[in-house]
């Protein structure tokens, strides 16, 4: 499947924030949105999810315009993984994951044995079956993020949209979540995620769109887009992009230059 | 090959995954059943309470005589009248109103994603109170006071929705709605105060005051039971049918939408149902606070936050709680305590106790 954004414009209350954005994501690919705070990553994101109206252009899946789909049909194509959060009620982890089945249930039905099994297998796929009976609000931030990914998997959609999946996580959990993201892409899911860390784009070997300002985007493969010149233009800081070898790994790193004297 | 082994492992795999779900489902059914028995027990006790003493044995006798179709014996005629004209309608009405308030509170807590929300968050009760005060002030008969109260309650919600639409323009509708509710509530409370201020302090003022405190004393009639039954069924059936989706909605509008829920449609269905339930309760019995807030809370401690069992359990326990409180009101002093006062006196400290006990149902 292919998700295409053509000349997308969106914003709030008549004020256009993102203008003329185009990109395409296929199944099995990871696509990152990178850019400074306030440049409209979240806005674009909500627009792709259909949470705010499209002001111009089109978003289509396999040539089919997404604006013609109902919330339920759309949920079968794209699942949303929000940042790890704390909901007001203390549902069990399995209950949270089974909520991903909503789109497959009738208006008046409740999830049954089949749905609970599906939810349990999503937990297993991510290696977090042991959390199943725990209370969602009481597990750690990293675990909650994984549970939310499991919930999105239970939705059985072709694409996942992830909002800064590693924000607020510790060093180890960041790596674990990123690993999971890469694994899911290898298994054939198309993934769109926002991030603040250019290194993650290299790590996932992803395509990326660097949003520099309202209508200026640089899109392409990680190596082409994340360059010293482009990063300086987007963030107005000096950046070093380095190549390194570690054992059998070829690494590419992106590092800002901190020089407090000047 | 060992297909038997394969079969076994499959069965094991599914049953292991299902264990927590089955375990909690069993526990929920048990609690529901226990509450049902408790309700029957409370009803039995309630039949005997009151100034006209009817012992259990006589009650059974009357029921037996009625069922046998031979008619009630001369000796039991008076007790029969007390039971069937006064006590049973009042008991039924009390239970239904407790259930209605608990259901509407539970639904609102999910919709507004906040366990501190009560059924009158959008101003239904204050508006219905103002409608009733106005009706009493104009000297309308009680049926018309009831209708006016109901219309005011529903009108207030329409006003809140309209305000939220105009101000909200799509984003943070829920927050704008709560704020609009606060404003609308405040206006109607001011109108109520005004009505009290100009009311004749000899007859109309006490009547308004008594109405606002909430009581089942005057409202327990067959007619009201029928009205409330219709309101309860129309209001709670859609909520019960959609109760699984309230879980999803409690994760917030955006997530619920991304999980395939038509959030706008669902929001209006929940508001319509809750408004009907609350407005019907308030217009028949005055404003009874705290029940809609604490019963879903206590129920959450018993069966957890999943609306699958939370909603039916909260409705049952709401009915029981209301009936117990009303019995208390009838029994404690020769006259009668206003039930709204007692629910507040019991509800508020109970709520503090639960906060202190501090199970982190909210964070």
């Amino acid at each position: 499947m292919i998700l295409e954004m053509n000349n997308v414009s969106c914003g709030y209350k008549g004020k256009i924030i993102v203008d003329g954005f185009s990109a395409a994501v296929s199944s099995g690919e990871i696509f990152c949105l990178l850019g400074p705070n306030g440049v409209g990553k979240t806005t674009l994101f909500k627009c792709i999810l259909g949470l705010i109206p499209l002001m111009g252009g089109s978003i289509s899946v396999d040539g089919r315009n997404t604006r013609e789909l109902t919330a339920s049909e759309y949920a079968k194509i794209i699942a949303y993984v929000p940042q790890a959060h704390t909901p007001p009620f203390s549902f069990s982890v399995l209950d949270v994951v089974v909520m991903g089945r909503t789109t497959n249930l009738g208006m008046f039905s409740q999830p049954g044995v089949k749905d609970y099994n599906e939810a349990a297998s999503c937990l297993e796929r991510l290696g977090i079956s042991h959390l199943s009976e725990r209370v969602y609000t009481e597990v750690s931030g990293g675990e909650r993020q994984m549970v939310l990914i499991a919930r999105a998997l239970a939705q059985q959609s072709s694409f996942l949209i992830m909002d800064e999946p590693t924000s607020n996580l510790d060093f180890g959990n960041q790596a674990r979540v990123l690993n999971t993201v890469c694994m899911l892409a290898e298994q054939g899911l198309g993934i769109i995620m926002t991030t603040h860390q250019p290194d993650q784009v290299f790590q996932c070997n992803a395509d990326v769109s660097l949003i520099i300002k309202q209508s200026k985007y640089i899109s392409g493969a990680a190596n082409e887009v994340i360059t010293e010149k482009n990063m300086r233009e987007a963030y107005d800081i000096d950046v070093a992009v380095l190549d390194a070898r570690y054992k059998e790994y070829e690494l590419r790193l992106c590092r800002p230059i901190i020089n407090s004297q000047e | 090959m060992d297909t038997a082994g394969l079969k076994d492992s499959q069965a094991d795999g599914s049953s292991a995954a299902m264990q927590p779900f089955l375990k909690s489902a069993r526990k929920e059914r048990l609690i529901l059943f226990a509450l049902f028995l408790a309700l029957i027990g409370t009803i039995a006790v309630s039949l005997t309470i009151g100034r006209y003493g009817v012992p259990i044995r006589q009650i059974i006798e009357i029921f037996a005589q009625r069922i046998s179709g031979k008619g009630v014996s001369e000796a039991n005629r008076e007790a029969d009248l007390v039971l069937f004209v006064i006590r049973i309608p009042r008991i039924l009405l009390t239970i239904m109103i407790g259930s209605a308030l608990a259901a509407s509170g539970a639904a609102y807590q999910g919709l507004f994603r906040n366990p501190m929300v009560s059924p009158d968050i959008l101003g239904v009760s204050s508006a219905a109170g103002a409608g009733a005060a106005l009706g009493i002030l104009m000297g309308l008969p009680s049926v018309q006071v009831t209708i006016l109260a109901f219309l005011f309650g529903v009108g207030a919600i329409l006003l809140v929705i309209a305000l939220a639409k105009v101000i909200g323009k799509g984003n943070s509708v829920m927050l704008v709605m709560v704020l609009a509710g606060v404003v609308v509530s405040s206006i109607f409370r001011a109108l109520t105060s005004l009505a009290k201020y100009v009311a004749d302090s000899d007859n109309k003022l006490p009547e308004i005051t008594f109405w606002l405190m909430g009581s089942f004393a005057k409202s327990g009639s067959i007619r009201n039971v029928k009205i409330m039954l219709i309101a309860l069924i129309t209001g709670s059936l859609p909520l019960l049918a959609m109760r699984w989706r309230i879980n999803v909605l409690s994760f917030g509008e955006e997530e619920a939408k991304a999980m395939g829920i038509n959030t706008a449609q669902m929001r209006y269905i929940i508001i319509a149902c809750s408004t009907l339930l609350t407005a019907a309760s308030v217009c028949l019995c005055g404003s009874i606070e705290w029940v809609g807030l604490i019963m879903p809370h206590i129920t959450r401690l018993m069966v957890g936050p999943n609306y699958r069992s939370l909603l039916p359990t909260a409705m049952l326990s709401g009915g029981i709680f209301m009936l117990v409180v009303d019995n208390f009101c009838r029994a404690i002093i020769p006259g009668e305590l206003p039930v709204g006062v007692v629910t507040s006196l019991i509800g508020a400290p109970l709520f503090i106790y639960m906060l202190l006990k501090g199970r982190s149902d909210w964070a």
Side-chain angles (χ1 to χ4, degrees):
Chain A
M1 289 184 109
I2 181 160
L3 177 72
E4 287 169 296
M5 289 150 268
N6 271 319
N7 234 346
V8 167
S9 298
C10 53
Y12 300 97
K13 291 188 186 175
K15 187 173 172 275
I16 290 179
I17 295 173
V18 176
D19 194 12
F21 180 85
S22 298
V25 191
S26 302
S27 300
E29 273 181 14
I30 300 176
F31 180 83
C32 296
L33 285 170
L34 194 65
N37 288 333
V39 83
K41 287 194 303 295
T42 310
T43 311
L44 179 57
F45 206 83
K46 287 187 177 174
C47 182
I48 300 172
L49 275 168
L51 300 174
I52 58 170
L54 194 60
M55 289 170 164
S58 68
I59 300 175
S60 61
V61 175
D62 283 347
R64 198 169 163 207
N65 192 342
T66 57
R67 297 293 131 153
E68 290 161 8
L69 304 172
T70 64
S72 177
E73 289 169 330
Y74 206 31
K76 285 175 185 154
I77 297 170
I78 301 181
Y80 174 42
V81 182
Q83 290 181 27
H85 52 31
T86 315
F89 305 112
S90 51
F91 294 105
S92 80
V93 164
L94 191 63
D95 272 340
V96 172
V97 177
V98 103
M99 287 183 204
R101 305 292 302 156
T102 304
T103 181
N104 293 295
L105 296 170
M107 182 86 175
F108 304 123
S109 30
Q110 312 244 357
V113 175
K114 207 174 116 247
D115 300 296
Y116 276 91
N117 277 331
E118 178 62 37
S121 79
C122 291
L123 285 171
E124 204 181 308
R125 192 165 154 195
L126 298 182
I128 49 169
S129 296
H130 59 281
L131 296 177
S132 170
E133 282 183 71
R134 298 273 301 280
V135 173
Y136 175 76
T137 45
E138 288 167 4
V139 300
S140 78
E143 289 169 333
R144 262 190 304 220
Q145 188 67 65
M146 293 298 268
V147 172
L148 291 175
I149 296 175
R151 187 184 73 183
L153 290 180
Q155 215 163 311
Q156 290 180 323
S157 53
S158 311
F159 292 93
L160 293 190
I161 294 199
M162 308 177 112
D163 188 13
E164 293 178 30
T166 59
S167 68
N168 301 320
L169 300 188
D170 72 33
F171 198 62
N173 281 330
Q174 287 191 14
R176 273 185 280 274
V177 167
L178 207 60
N179 227 329
T180 305
V181 171
C182 295
M183 178 192 86
L184 294 174
E186 275 165 30
Q187 291 173 1
L189 277 161
I191 291 166
I192 302 170
M193 69 175 204
T194 54
T195 177
H196 277 304
Q197 298 181 33
D199 277 341
Q200 293 184 344
V201 185
F202 288 130
Q203 283 161 326
C204 295
N205 197 19
D207 277 347
V208 58
S209 211
L210 178 63
I211 306 178
I212 292 170
K213 54 181 190 271
Q214 205 193 73
S215 51
K216 186 158 185 196
Y217 316 98
I218 304 175
S219 301
N223 292 338
E224 297 159 20
V225 176
I226 301 174
T227 62
E228 291 170 10
K229 175 175 159 290
N230 289 343
M231 293 303 277
R232 187 181 300 117
E233 194 182 351
Y235 294 95
D236 200 21
I237 51 164
D238 287 327
V239 174
V241 177
L242 310 164
D243 284 308
R245 277 193 83 85
Y246 173 75
K247 294 182 182 165
E248 73 272 29
Y249 301 103
E250 298 257 8
L251 307 173
R252 179 165 272 203
L253 313 166
C254 181
R255 182 114 185 233
I257 307 296
I258 309 295
N259 192 340
S260 53
Q261 265 81 42
E262 285 175 283
Chain B
M1 267 183 60
D2 57 343
T3 44
L6 189 71
K7 225 186 216 165
D8 266 24
S9 75
Q10 267 175 345
D12 274 347
S14 67
S15 69
M18 290 300 295
Q19 258 340 296
F21 166 63
L22 293 173
K23 209 168 68 188
S24 60
R26 227 176 0 249
K27 184 183 153 208
E28 287 154 13
R29 269 200 301 275
L30 212 66
I31 290 176
L32 216 55
F33 183 67
L35 283 174
F36 184 71
L37 290 184
L39 179 64
I40 303 291
T42 318
I43 291 175
V45 173
S46 311
L47 287 171
T48 66
I49 292 177
R51 256 191 297 167
Y52 186 95
V54 189
I56 281 277
R57 178 183 292 175
Q58 196 181 3
I59 293 171
I60 295 171
E61 209 175 289
I62 291 172
F63 272 96
Q65 282 168 355
R66 274 187 167 247
I67 291 166
S68 70
K70 273 182 275 173
V72 180
S73 66
E74 198 58 43
N76 287 337
R77 192 129 305 162
E78 206 173 328
D80 180 73
L81 210 67
V82 169
L83 281 184
F84 280 87
V85 176
I86 300 170
R87 228 164 262 176
I88 291 177
R90 177 168 180 161
I91 289 171
L92 292 177
L93 192 71
T94 308
I95 294 169
M96 287 194 288
I97 283 178
S99 289
L101 291 173
S104 111
Y108 267 0
Q109 291 176 0
L111 178 66
F112 292 100
R113 316 180 56 203
N114 189 333
M116 305 294 180
V117 162
S118 65
D120 50 357
I121 177 133
L122 297 183
V124 167
S125 304
S126 332
L134 191 67
I136 294 168
L137 196 64
M138 294 190 302
L140 297 177
S142 77
V143 177
Q144 288 175 29
V145 169
T146 306
I147 293 171
L148 201 60
F150 185 80
L151 291 180
F152 265 62
V154 173
I157 298 305
L158 293 178
L159 189 60
V160 165
I161 291 174
L163 279 174
K165 265 228 155 102
V166 174
I167 303 168
K169 281 201 179 141
N171 49 30
S172 62
V173 188
M174 303 310 294
L175 184 65
V176 176
M177 233 176 220
V178 172
L179 292 176
V182 170
V183 172
V184 169
S185 263
S186 157
I187 292 170
F188 281 108
R189 267 201 303 275
L191 286 178
T192 309
S193 297
L194 187 65
K196 283 164 110 174
Y197 182 71
V198 298
D200 181 345
S201 61
D202 284 332
N203 50 45
K204 286 188 177 155
L205 183 58
E207 204 181 326
I208 293 175
T209 311
F210 194 68
W211 197 98
L212 289 173
M213 283 190 293
S215 169
F216 295 106
K218 289 182 185 168
S219 47
S221 69
I222 300 282
R223 182 181 58 94
N224 285 352
V225 168
K226 283 181 188 157
I227 292 173
M228 193 59 211
L229 186 65
I230 293 168
L232 183 66
I233 290 173
T234 338
S236 64
L237 269 189
L239 292 179
L240 283 168
M242 299 194 315
R243 66 189 191 275
W244 160 259
R245 301 198 148 215
I246 303 178
N247 290 326
V248 185
L249 207 58
S250 78
F251 275 78
E253 194 124 344
E254 291 188 350
E255 277 178 59
K257 213 167 169 182
M259 281 188 266
I261 285 184
N262 182 343
T263 49
Q265 182 198 48
M266 194 157 161
R267 179 169 65 226
Y268 290 124
I269 295 177
I270 291 180
I271 291 176
C273 291
S274 292
T275 302
L276 175 64
L277 291 172
T278 314
S281 304
V282 175
C283 78
L284 290 177
C285 301
S287 56
I288 297 166
E289 288 174 2
W290 286 99
V291 179
L293 176 77
I294 57 165
M295 287 330 285
H297 246 297
I298 293 177
T299 312
R300 217 170 270 126
L301 294 180
M302 290 193 289
V303 296
N306 196 325
Y307 277 84
R308 178 187 63 220
S309 49
L310 176 65
L311 197 57
T313 316
M315 286 180 72
L316 253 183
S317 50
I320 296 171
F321 176 76
M322 201 76 256
L323 189 54
V324 169
V325 170
D326 188 48
N327 285 340
F328 179 77
C329 294
R330 287 196 289 147
I332 196 88
I333 53 168
E336 192 173 312
L337 281 172
V339 71
V341 173
V342 179
T343 53
S344 295
L345 283 178
I346 297 176
L350 198 60
F351 189 62
I352 294 293
Y353 167 74
M354 287 187 320
L355 285 179
L356 285 176
K357 215 172 137 225
R359 244 201 51 175
S360 54
D361 261 350
W362 54 88

